[in-house]
Amino acid sequence: MAFSSALCLTAHISDATTVMDVSADKDATVIYNTQLCGSTPCALVNHGMEPTITASEQNGSVSRILLGFIIPLDDIGSKNITQCQLQMPAPLQAPSSQYALQAFEAQGDWSEASVNGVSTLNTGTALGSDTLVSTERPSPIDVTAACREALNNDSESLSLWLDTDAKKTMSDKLYISYNQIHQLIDYAVKNYKLGDDYNPDLLIAIGGGGFIPARILRSFLKAKHGRNIPIQAIGLSLYEELLPGQSPNGIPEAPGTQVTKTQWLNFGGSDSLVSLLGRKILIVDEVDDSRKTLVYAVAELKKDILEQEKQAGLEPGASNTEIGVFVVYNKNKPKTELLDDDVMKRYYPTATTPDRWLFFPWDCTTDIGVHSELAKKSFSSM
């Protein structure tokens, strides 16, 4: 076994209370990364029997333990259980002074040798959690609902996922280098088959974070078909500038609530609106945070398309203009607004990361070499 654990079943038998400790029948520890490259973790340990549970505080790396228990129905009877608790040994090894512990019900069969970071075991209901310092013994996590559900289904087996993750704040920063962005875009073009399954003929970069990714993306698309795709620029802002000295952790902006249009496609002259009809448009930005900026950009483009169709004597939608979205990073967080389904089917994030400050190389105003080294350290734990 990778470690010692016990599932404590508190059963009421007759008029007495009996406590029974049931040790794990099987377990497997998986260290993986919640930052996704496409739909797959950028790095993970395929499977293994790690000697300790470890919570990692960098890049969303977590250690996930899958526990399997056999409940002795003949000894306790399914109707006599009053409480089930998961008790973990102390202390759990963690590089952070504080970390979170969360238990989920796991559904499906598994073996110690085959389970990995992308196993298809569906994570069921969140059962309980605890936040503690690394020297403390975790409090028992109540998993009574999972026990009762298993027993009601006449099953003696119960499986639980246990996630450990260092406690994070928005002051955490992920440093990203030019090399890493280049590699992520290369991966995304191949993974999503851009230029084949969806072959854009117009890139619209949202300034200023979308400029460099759009230029890199164009090079990879040109390598496939030998032609340069035009890049148009629009200026949208959802971030409000802070005065010097007010910037937290060297980050010069704070999230705003309203999108501001600072530049649009009609910038070459009063009558030179870029023709959008029949195009396969790909909007490019550095990050999908709240999604407000992307939703705004799509809505404004659709207004322009509708107006151009009207001027051309076409019915709405008759031009078959398509819109997609390409972002370097998608933050895994609830979005305040949603993209339409016709756009989401052409939604291409190169990577998905937990919610944190992303420090891109074009944000660096000091030594770019130091920034690149910090980026290497950030990604070395992946």
Side-chain angles (χ1 to χ4, degrees):
M1 291 297 178
F3 62 92
S4 173
S5 63
L7 179 67
C8 298
L9 299 178
T10 302
H12 186 79
I13 302 175
S14 299
D15 292 328
T17 298
T18 299
V19 178
M20 181 177 295
D21 291 348
V22 181
S23 297
D25 178 65
K26 56 184 178 180
D27 62 71
T29 301
V30 177
I31 300 174
Y32 74 106
N33 200 288
T34 56
Q35 179 168 296
L36 301 180
C37 291
S39 59
T40 304
C42 296
L44 57 88
V45 176
N46 289 333
H47 59 80
M49 315 306 170
E50 301 295 331
T52 58
I53 302 177
T54 302
S56 174
E57 60 183 336
Q58 291 185 322
N59 297 316
S61 296
V62 300
S63 181
R64 191 175 225 205
I65 192 77
L66 183 57
L67 304 171
F69 299 93
I70 302 298
I71 304 172
L73 282 178
D74 293 340
D75 294 335
I76 59 176
S78 62
K79 296 182 180 180
N80 292 326
I81 291 181
T82 59
Q83 188 178 43
C84 288
Q85 290 183 321
L86 177 65
Q87 178 67 66
M88 300 301 299
L92 296 184
Q93 182 181 10
S96 176
S97 60
Q98 288 187 312
Y99 67 97
L101 187 67
Q102 191 165 20
F104 297 86
E105 180 182 359
Q107 302 167 348
D109 196 15
W110 59 280
S111 68
E112 291 181 338
S114 63
V115 65
N116 58 49
V118 289
S119 293
T120 56
L121 284 168
N122 294 322
T123 298
T125 305
L127 302 172
S129 62
D130 192 16
T131 300
L132 61 165
V133 298
S134 56
T135 57
E136 291 179 339
R137 182 182 181 91
S139 300
I141 296 178
D142 192 304
V143 295
T144 306
C147 285
R148 287 176 175 167
E149 181 177 353
L151 296 176
N152 288 338
N153 293 330
D154 295 324
S155 173
E156 294 188 8
S157 298
L158 173 65
S159 293
L160 301 172
W161 283 116
L162 187 69
D163 283 350
T164 66
D165 198 1
K167 192 174 181 181
K168 297 180 175 66
T169 67
M170 279 300 290
S171 63
D172 295 330
K173 284 192 284 188
L174 175 64
Y175 289 87
I176 308 158
S177 72
Y178 285 111
N179 285 347
Q180 290 157 352
I181 291 171
H182 196 276
Q183 292 163 359
L184 285 171
I185 294 176
D186 180 22
Y187 171 87
V189 169
K190 295 172 181 175
N191 183 55
Y192 295 121
K193 298 180 180 179
L194 286 172
D196 298 316
D197 290 357
Y198 186 63
N199 189 16
D201 55 18
L202 176 62
L203 302 180
I204 296 181
I206 298 178
F211 293 159
I212 296 175
R215 181 60 185 86
I216 297 172
L217 175 60
R218 182 171 78 164
S219 293
F220 282 113
L221 293 175
K222 181 182 179 181
K224 299 189 78 168
H225 297 295
R227 62 184 179 87
N228 274 325
I229 301 172
I231 300 176
Q232 297 291 340
I234 59 176
L236 300 176
S237 177
L238 182 61
Y239 288 81
E240 56 190 10
E241 296 293 331
L242 296 181
L243 295 174
Q246 292 182 331
S247 169
N249 301 305
I251 300 168
E253 296 174 329
T257 57
Q258 176 119 14
V259 180
T260 302
K261 184 192 291 187
T262 59
Q263 176 179 304
W264 199 247
L265 297 174
N266 189 11
F267 56 84
S270 59
D271 298 316
S272 63
L273 184 64
V274 176
S275 176
L276 302 173
L277 300 187
R279 297 272 198 173
K280 294 183 184 296
I281 301 167
L282 192 58
I283 300 171
V284 182
D285 204 0
E286 60 182 351
V287 63
D288 178 2
D289 193 330
S290 66
R291 199 161 283 174
K292 286 178 70 71
T293 300
L294 292 171
V295 170
Y296 182 89
V298 169
E300 292 299 305
L301 281 173
K302 286 188 172 183
K303 289 179 185 177
D304 287 344
I305 293 167
L306 189 62
E307 180 61 29
Q308 289 186 14
E309 287 174 336
K310 180 179 178 181
Q311 292 177 3
L314 298 174
E315 293 293 322
S319 66
N320 295 318
T321 305
E322 297 178 353
I323 299 175
V325 169
F326 184 97
V327 294
V328 179
Y329 276 93
N330 169 45
K331 289 189 179 182
N332 187 14
K333 59 184 287 188
K335 307 299 185 182
T336 58
E337 296 188 22
L338 300 177
L339 290 165
D340 296 335
D341 290 341
D342 64 312
V343 178
M344 282 302 298
K345 68 182 181 182
R346 292 181 289 271
Y347 176 75
Y348 310 110
T350 74
T352 299
T353 180
D355 190 13
R356 70 191 65 207
W357 287 110
L358 303 180
F359 204 9
F360 290 96
W362 44 84
D363 295 324
C364 178
T365 58
T366 55
D367 189 329
I368 191 63
V370 173
H371 178 99
S372 297
E373 287 302 313
L374 289 171
K376 286 182 183 179
K377 291 180 181 178
S378 290
F379 279 71
S380 64
S381 66
M382 293 171 51

